[in-house]
């Protein structure tokens, strides 16, 4: 009887997965991620590279710690991404004159070009969504995601 219950639960869950909030968020983000990665591949990049470039001030540079905070990334993941960006000639790193322990990250000319491509890709994505989705629905979407993020931040779910 236990195995029948588990099988029934699995069957019910597989039918429900399209209706659960976490599944909808995850599936949508994975689709967006694939879309961005496919686009970035045309320019020998990735979504991670594009978003990192967008997180760096194109004129003044940005402290490395601020980049990880802007992206919600762990420092170790950012370190790998910055290494890749350096190897591709997209950034340079210099000691922060205001904080001897810190590093400032600057875009190279190539990095600025790739940043502009990333920016245009994000703008195009957003424009198409705004043209397709009713503005009231978009407003509700942002309200819902803000509420979910606040519930998580306030540790009110688990």
């Amino acid at each position: 009887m236990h195995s029948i219950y588990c099988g029934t639960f699995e069957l019910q869950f597989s039918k429900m997965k399209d209706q659960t909030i976490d599944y909808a968020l995850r599936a949508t983000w994975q689709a967006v991620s694939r879309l961005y990665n496919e686009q970035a591949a045309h320019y020998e990049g990735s979504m991670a590279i594009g978003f990192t470039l967008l997180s760096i001030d194109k004129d003044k540079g940005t402290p490395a710690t601020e980049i990880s905070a802007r992206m919600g990334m762990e420092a170790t993941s950012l370190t790998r991404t910055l290494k890749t960006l350096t190897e591709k000639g997209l950034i340079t790193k210099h000691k922060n004159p205001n904080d001897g322990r810190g590093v400032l990250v600057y875009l190279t000319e190539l990095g600025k070009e790739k940043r502009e491509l990333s920016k245009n890709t994000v703008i195009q994505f957003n424009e198409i969504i705004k043209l397709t989705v009713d503005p009231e629905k978009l407003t509700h979407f942002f309200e819902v995601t803000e509420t979910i993020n606040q519930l998580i931040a306030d540790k009110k779910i688990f």
Side-chain angles (χ1 to χ4, degrees):
M1 184 163 181
H2 180 69
S3 60
I4 293 171
Y5 174 76
C6 287
T8 304
F9 173 76
E10 288 174 20
L11 180 62
Q12 287 174 343
F13 182 74
S14 68
K15 288 179 184 177
M16 273 181 42
K17 71 181 177 185
D18 295 329
Q19 298 170 4
T20 64
I21 295 162
D22 59 323
Y23 179 84
L25 290 170
R26 186 176 58 254
T28 301
W29 178 245
Q30 287 174 344
V32 170
S33 180
R34 268 193 313 276
L35 177 74
Y36 277 145
N37 276 317
E38 287 170 9
Q39 205 49 34
H42 296 296
Y43 306 102
E44 299 175 13
S46 68
M47 185 184 72
I49 289 172
F51 279 129
T52 306
L53 294 173
L54 289 170
S55 299
I56 300 169
D57 186 288
K58 65 180 181 182
D59 300 314
K60 302 177 205 168
T62 305
T65 53
E66 195 174 309
I67 296 168
S68 60
R70 286 180 183 179
M71 296 180 65
M73 252 181 139
E74 294 294 325
T76 53
S77 296
L78 180 64
T79 300
R80 286 190 299 270
T81 302
L82 292 179
K83 182 179 181 202
T84 299
L85 293 174
T86 302
E87 290 169 355
K88 289 181 175 278
L90 301 173
I91 63 166
T92 58
K93 295 185 276 185
H94 304 281
K95 279 190 173 187
N96 187 338
N98 300 324
D99 177 4
R101 297 169 295 151
V103 174
L104 288 174
V105 179
Y106 294 92
L107 297 171
T108 63
E109 287 306 312
L110 180 60
K112 289 177 183 179
E113 290 174 25
K114 300 288 186 175
R115 183 185 193 279
E116 194 63 25
L117 289 169
S118 298
K119 179 181 166 186
N120 291 336
T121 300
V122 171
I123 289 170
Q124 182 178 352
F125 173 85
N126 280 271
E127 285 176 355
I128 296 298
I129 300 300
K130 287 177 182 178
L131 287 171
T132 308
V133 177
D134 178 83
E136 186 177 348
K137 287 182 178 182
L138 269 180
T139 299
H140 291 310
F141 169 78
F142 283 115
E143 289 169 352
V144 169
T145 57
E146 184 177 327
T147 300
I148 291 169
N149 281 313
Q150 195 60 54
L151 288 167
I152 292 168
D154 293 345
K155 300 188 184 309
K156 291 188 175 180
I157 293 180
F158 300 114

